[in-house]
Amino acid sequence: MAAEFTEYEYVAAGTVDVSQLEPLDRETARIMKDEMSTGSKLTIFYYAFIFMIPILNWHASGFMFSRMWGGMTYTWFITGIVAMGMAFTIAYVHTSLYEKRLHKYQGGTGASSAHSEGRNIG
Amino acid sequence: MLQTLLEPKMLLTIILMSTIVYITYLTKKSSTASDYFVGGRSFGWFTNGSAIGGDYLSAATFLGIAGLTFQLGYDGAYYAFCFSIGLTLLAIFVAGPLRRFGAYTVADFLAYRFHSKRARLAAVAVVLAISGFYAAPQLLGAAQILSMFFGTTYEFGIIFTCTVMVFYVGVGGMKGTTINQALELWIRLGAFVLMAAAAVYGGLHYDRILASINEFQGSITGTAQFAKDGKDVAFDGASWTGTGHYFPTFWQTISMTIGLSLGTIGLPHILLRFYTNPSAKAARKSALMAIGIASVFFFFAVYLGAVGRAVFLSGSASPEVMKDLVAGGNNMVIPSTAQALGGEWLLGLVIAGAFAAIFSNLSGLFIASSGALAHDLYATFMRKNITERERVIAGKVAIVILAFLYGALGLMVKTASIGHLVALAFTVAASTFTPIFILGIWWRGMTEKGAIAGLVIGLAVSMFMIFGSSMLPAFLQFKVPGLITVPVGFLSVYIVSKLDRKVPADVNEFMRRVHSKESEAA
């Protein structure tokens, strides 16, 4: 087991100039593009929501701090209730889309893709 | 003596401690480094999701967030929201690839990405800096609880908690720590749910309490005897429900939002948890579960902070609770409110929950830091060809060293706010590891020099902005300086990498590894 560390540790892979780097294989490039595209869209949406709260608080405070339900203001409702659910919703959509893509990849190549352990040094 | 032991707060704390000891004993056999550092990569999404939640929802959440809401009102609620953002971003960009990479420590990522010892060394320094920032407020919370409810001194509290940690992590390793963390999470959630139920049962509905707080103006009678200045505490409800009091400008608010939202991606003890999953798919599900739990938790923390303020303003609490709320500072709102809502038994459960929060989070930090010391520093730089057994022993010795180190830090932050100290730890993480992990996973052009520059410059700038901000012009003095430090971290990596241009020759292989597709059965 310990030998796996020595085996992997600081293998002299060398360096190359970034301009001479071979392009990524098509499959990895496609997976990365799909994941980044989904992640970026969800993150942009999430940050639009996140930054919307202080922007409205500072620039439309009359509305945001007016009462909506009992003593609860619009901004308290968005910050203390909606925002907490939003974190889970974004993560849930991401996980669902990831599993959908995974299913698509499996469909394309059969069951040949093995369970990836990555750089398994343990 | 027997009567003291049968007091609810004492009894429930003893039950919690006994459970920890029992689980630790059951899982004490860590024969391999994989067992000790990553729990043999055997935990499924439910256990690991609970443990991530347990690790993430520290004393800062259980005690600090409600305390900040109690004290700051809306600004405290917004603070809580910003803490809740990070896990989602981590799930989107880092969790799956990190697990596919599969290693023992956070520094392993850099070391193997660049085949570099220098990168590993820089990562170790940053892991220790972040963990120190994070551990100190957890110890502060533990010592305050012990001193407030068990009458011990602050110093005893620090020593006691560090001693428990040496046993907890040193004996149980990652296996015992994970199971304990998962169990402890549900104790805390149970305490919050019961507190909320008691509040609603007592008529403290969200809309009503916010209305009553908002309308309160003037001084709170009966508080003079506990206040330092001998005067009744003055309170302005309209100010409490507004914004701009803690973060006085719009840009201060944005700076805090950036620092906290990106900080989670760089927290070593959270990143480490994704190595313990059996697959990348399980890692994503673990993250999703942790986010669900955290969302519920943050909602309750904000609500209970408002309940605490309503109880305080009504003056209906016992003199003992009023004293705690005036003299105990904002960190003790949850225990005091629990006592007011449900008496000794609810207080006992909350104290057990607070210990659970502190132990969970501290154990994660101890594991991450012991990995940095034993695996990354000792086994890499001091004793090569170390055996599995020696590696585990080094991990245990590192726990003892860390107990002294973090204990000293805990003694230095006696009067600080738990929530704010943790916010600073998030900022350091957001300015150092966050750029490294996001760019390292998604950009082939990141070079070794770029990564090291990012870590060193990000750490130096964030430390300067935190400790030396008085030397800066007023417009650059931020309470949470994420607006400056996070872009500096990202730009350092990007600019130095662009100038360096020397990427590892096997970077394509690395990308294939961390972005490979995986079996659905995994």
Side-chain angles (χ1 to χ4, degrees):
Chain A
M1 192 74 87
E4 288 174 30
F5 276 99
T6 339
E7 198 180 303
Y8 196 80
E9 214 168 321
Y10 314 116
V11 179
T15 55
V16 293
D17 190 280
V18 71
S19 60
Q20 291 167 347
L21 208 56
E22 292 282 320
L24 268 174
D25 64 283
R26 280 179 64 186
E27 186 180 271
T28 309
R30 187 182 61 144
I31 291 172
M32 282 180 75
K33 194 180 162 196
D34 284 353
E35 286 228 14
M36 187 41 108
S37 163
T38 310
S40 302
K41 283 173 196 159
L42 287 170
T43 304
I44 290 167
F45 176 78
Y46 197 20
Y47 266 104
F49 172 78
I50 289 163
F51 285 131
M52 177 199 82
I53 301 174
I55 289 170
L56 288 177
N57 281 348
W58 286 89
H59 300 290
S61 55
F63 168 73
M64 290 299 273
F65 289 97
S66 61
R67 293 193 183 189
M68 180 194 129
W69 168 50
M72 187 174 289
T73 56
Y74 285 98
T75 195
W76 193 291
F77 178 71
I78 293 169
T79 309
I81 297 175
V82 177
M84 303 308 175
M86 185 64 85
F88 180 77
T89 307
I90 299 281
Y92 182 78
V93 170
H94 177 259
T95 306
S96 304
L97 291 175
Y98 164 75
E99 294 200 348
K100 220 172 172 180
R101 279 200 309 276
L102 198 64
H103 198 68
K104 190 178 78 182
Y105 299 145
Q106 300 289 323
T109 57
S112 62
S113 58
H115 170 182
S116 167
E117 274 298 320
R119 296 183 176 198
N120 191 351
I121 55 175
Chain B
M1 176 70 180
L2 184 65
Q3 203 173 1
T4 310
L5 288 175
L6 289 175
E7 278 179 25
K9 65 185 177 193
M10 194 63 97
L11 192 64
L12 288 166
T13 305
I14 290 170
I15 291 171
L16 172 72
M17 295 289 184
S18 310
T19 312
I20 289 172
V21 171
Y22 183 64
I23 290 173
T24 307
Y25 176 76
L26 283 182
T27 55
K28 72 178 174 18
K29 197 183 170 199
S30 294
S31 52
T32 67
S34 172
D35 280 341
Y36 187 76
F37 291 114
V38 290
R41 304 190 203 282
S42 57
F43 295 107
W45 62 269
F46 183 83
T47 309
N48 209 27
S50 301
I52 293 168
D55 220 343
Y56 190 61
L57 302 169
S58 61
T61 315
F62 192 74
L63 303 174
I65 293 298
L68 286 169
T69 307
F70 171 88
Q71 184 188 27
L72 306 172
Y74 176 77
D75 279 350
Y78 188 75
Y79 219 157
F81 159 55
C82 290
F83 273 115
S84 76
I85 301 168
L87 269 181
T88 307
L89 299 175
L90 193 148
I92 290 176
F93 291 112
V94 177
L98 197 62
R99 172 59 196 95
R100 281 194 209 96
F101 166 69
Y104 286 168
T105 66
V106 171
D108 275 340
F109 176 84
L110 276 176
Y112 296 138
R113 170 83 162 77
F114 299 110
H115 315 283
S116 162
K117 284 190 179 185
R118 281 176 301 185
R120 185 188 286 278
L121 199 60
V124 169
V126 177
V127 166
L128 294 176
I130 296 170
S131 301
F133 249 114
Y134 214 127
Q138 308 302 323
L139 286 164
L140 159 71
Q144 279 194 346
I145 289 173
L146 281 168
S147 103
M148 187 163 276
F149 297 103
F150 297 95
T152 62
T153 61
Y154 182 83
E155 290 71 22
F156 173 85
I158 299 283
I159 295 166
F160 173 79
T161 312
C162 287
T163 309
V164 172
M165 275 304 111
V166 169
F167 168 77
Y168 186 131
V169 185
V171 177
M174 183 56 111
K175 264 194 178 161
T177 300
T178 302
I179 297 171
N180 272 321
Q181 282 177 332
L183 174 76
E184 286 159 5
L185 172 87
W186 294 104
I187 294 173
R188 267 170 285 168
L189 198 56
F192 264 9
V193 169
L194 280 179
M195 275 184 78
V200 172
Y201 181 74
L204 296 167
H205 300 284
Y206 217 158
D207 57 327
R208 287 186 215 159
I209 54 171
L210 287 175
S212 69
I213 296 167
N214 195 23
E215 282 151 18
F216 192 100
Q217 295 282 336
S219 56
I220 305 158
T221 49
T223 53
Q225 54 183 314
F226 310 121
K228 280 180 189 162
D229 60 2
K231 292 177 186 169
D232 281 333
V233 175
F235 184 73
D236 171 13
S239 150
W240 190 87
T241 47
T243 190
H245 305 289
Y246 189 63
F247 298 104
T249 66
F250 172 73
W251 291 109
Q252 285 271 7
T253 311
I254 295 295
S255 185
M256 186 267 294
T257 309
I258 292 171
L260 294 199
S261 66
L262 290 169
T264 311
I265 298 177
L267 291 177
H269 62 295
I270 302 292
L271 289 167
L272 190 65
R273 291 235 56 93
F274 291 100
Y275 291 144
T276 64
N277 278 116
S279 70
K281 189 176 174 184
R284 283 174 206 268
K285 280 197 171 179
S286 297
L288 182 62
M289 182 175 171
I291 291 162
I293 293 167
S295 299
V296 174
F297 228 91
F298 283 113
F299 165 78
F300 278 130
V302 172
Y303 169 58
L304 291 171
V307 168
R309 179 54 78 181
V311 168
F312 186 54
L313 293 180
S314 72
S316 59
S318 67
E320 203 181 7
V321 171
M322 292 301 275
K323 181 185 171 188
D324 288 346
L325 289 173
V326 176
N330 62 9
N331 298 333
M332 291 299 114
V333 171
I334 285 290
S336 301
T337 307
Q339 194 171 13
L341 292 173
E344 290 295 315
W345 280 99
L346 194 53
L347 172 66
L349 186 63
V350 162
I351 291 174
F355 277 126
I358 290 159
F359 290 159
S360 270
N361 187 264
L362 270 178
S363 57
L365 291 167
F366 269 80
I367 278 276
S369 311
S370 77
L373 283 182
H375 174 73
D376 295 313
L377 210 58
Y378 181 70
T380 307
F381 292 95
M382 298 177 191
R383 278 202 57 197
K384 285 184 176 179
N385 302 321
I386 189 171
T387 65
E388 284 288 307
R389 195 178 138 67
E390 285 169 336
R391 196 180 294 272
V392 173
I393 291 170
K396 293 181 181 186
V397 172
I399 297 290
V400 178
I401 295 169
L402 289 164
F404 281 102
L405 193 67
Y406 292 162
L409 288 174
L411 291 172
M412 289 161 64
V413 295
K414 193 172 179 178
T415 55
S417 155
I418 295 176
H420 189 64
L421 275 177
V422 169
L424 296 179
F426 270 61
T427 309
V428 177
S431 318
T432 51
F433 279 134
T434 300
I436 300 298
F437 275 90
I438 290 186
L439 295 174
I441 286 171
W442 295 98
W443 182 42
R444 293 187 302 160
M446 186 170 92
T447 70
E448 179 200 357
K449 284 181 185 157
I452 294 173
L455 286 177
V456 173
I457 296 171
L459 182 65
V461 171
S462 48
M463 287 295 179
F464 178 72
M465 295 286 292
I466 290 167
F467 293 112
S469 65
S470 57
M471 287 183 254
L472 294 166
F475 75 97
L476 283 177
Q477 292 179 12
F478 292 101
K479 283 185 173 154
V480 180
L483 184 65
I484 306 290
T485 61
V486 174
V488 165
F490 272 97
L491 281 173
S492 308
V493 180
Y494 183 76
I495 292 170
V496 176
S497 295
K498 279 286 181 188
L499 293 173
D500 179 28
R501 300 177 64 86
K502 299 283 181 204
V503 295
D506 67 345
V507 66
N508 282 356
E509 173 58 24
F510 178 86
M511 289 295 168
R512 262 195 294 277
R513 284 285 187 193
V514 298
H515 294 288
S516 64
K517 60 191 179 187
E518 57 196 313
S519 161
E520 274 197 282

